[in-house]
Amino acid sequence: MGELAGLLARDYAAMGFRVPTRVLPNWLIRLVAVFDKGVRLTVPVLGRTEHVSADKARRELGWTMRPVEDTVRDTADSLIAFGIVTVPDRSAASSPTAADPRLTASGQA
């Protein structure tokens, strides 16, 4: 997950987004989970490594996977475009569209 955060931090810093890139230790997450229900939901998967395969989808459907980096960027752009994640307030001199040519004048990708 740290790699994905680093990708987002690098690509969206120019737009004013501050993406946390530190990875919290499991013991700290378990401690916070005692007090926070939302965090508590993550405890069962701490330290677990999931091994998944898309072989069946490739074999039976001819599916090909998009690059993870493109998928993460497109997801972030979509969250911004639909207003789920708001663009941070910036000075009038710089706008999100000037910082990122992927965004149009309406702020949508």
Side-chain angles (χ1 to χ4, degrees):
M1 294 304 279
E3 298 88 14
L4 297 180
L7 171 77
L8 291 171
R10 184 185 71 236
D11 289 358
Y12 291 88
M15 293 173 50
F17 289 99
R18 295 179 56 198
V19 179
T21 57
R22 292 188 184 142
V23 177
L24 295 176
N26 289 348
W27 67 265
L28 183 56
I29 294 172
R30 289 180 196 283
L31 177 65
V32 172
V34 171
F35 305 101
D36 187 308
K37 254 185 180 175
V39 176
R40 196 173 306 140
L41 296 172
T42 65
V43 171
V45 297
L46 287 177
R48 183 188 302 177
T49 302
E50 296 289 333
H51 299 281
V52 296
S53 172
D55 288 341
K56 185 174 181 180
R58 277 190 209 99
R59 185 176 59 251
E60 295 183 12
L61 303 174
W63 177 79
T64 56
M65 189 166 103
R66 296 177 58 209
V68 173
E69 294 82 6
D70 293 345
T71 303
V72 170
R73 283 186 200 102
D74 289 346
T75 300
D77 289 340
S78 179
L79 292 171
I80 294 166
F82 285 103
I84 296 168
V85 174
T86 57
V87 177
D89 289 334
R90 307 267 312 238
S91 65
S94 66
S95 71
T97 56
D100 188 346
R102 293 179 294 173
L103 296 179
T104 63
S106 66
Q108 296 181 351

